[in-house]
Amino acid sequence: MSGLIQIINGPNLNLLGRRQPEIYGYETLDDVEADCAALAADLDLECAFYQSNYEGALIDCIHQAREKADGIIINPAAYTHTSVAILDALNAFEGPVIEVHISNVHKRESFRHHSYVSLRADGVIAGCGTEGYQYALRRMATLIKA
Ligand code: CA2
């Protein structure tokens, strides 16, 4: 394997596939993890998957990624729009960061239009459903092999 990608999901994404399928689709987070693991193997990458409903736990995961991961794919969920602390943690990570949103946040309420994390992200994918994680992994393969 030539790179480890830490995939991080924020609050309420553990409910994926169980509520609001009209917005977030029918795949569960376990399905997303399995799809990512399969694609990562094809891309000669390894991925580690993490979800938490707690801001501090997400920050700890980002700190741990500094020691072991080559890139971070993150869907910070609602913390996208509120968390300077997650932005600060990502700013201390040296590798590429890609921000993913399942829904098109720009088509939704105006409070979802601003992202603190986008100030750090090297790429942003929104509105492509759970396929967005796959696009992010493909982009990550390009970035870390460059
Ligand atoms: O579109 C996305 O991926 C979001 O990051 C999802 C967040 C939302 O606050 C962001 O504005 C956009 C919400 C995650 C909630 O996930 C659920 C999934 C299924 C059922 C209920 C919530």
Side-chain angles (χ1 to χ4, degrees), residues 10-21 23-25 75-81 100-105 108-109 111-112 126-127 133:
N12 297 307
L13 286 164
N14 53 309
L15 299 177
L16 207 59
R18 305 183 202 287
R19 298 273 189 286
Q20 297 181 271
I23 301 177
Y24 299 113
N75 182 347
Y79 288 136
T80 305
H81 318 298
V100 172
H101 298 288
I102 298 165
S103 64
N104 181 358
V105 284
R108 301 182 65 189
E109 303 96 322
F111 65 82
R112 296 185 203 275
Y133 292 88

Side-chain angles (χ1 to χ4, degrees), residues 4 6 8 50 55-72 74 83-95 97:
L4 174 68
Q6 178 69 59
I8 304 175
Y50 182 74
E55 188 174 20
L58 296 168
I59 291 166
D60 286 345
C61 181
I62 294 166
H63 290 175
Q64 285 156 19
R66 297 175 69 232
E67 311 300 323
K68 63 178 188 189
D70 299 289
I72 292 178
I74 184 165
S83 182
V84 176
I86 289 177
L87 170 63
D88 286 346
L90 289 169
N91 276 332
F93 179 78
E94 286 186 358
V97 173

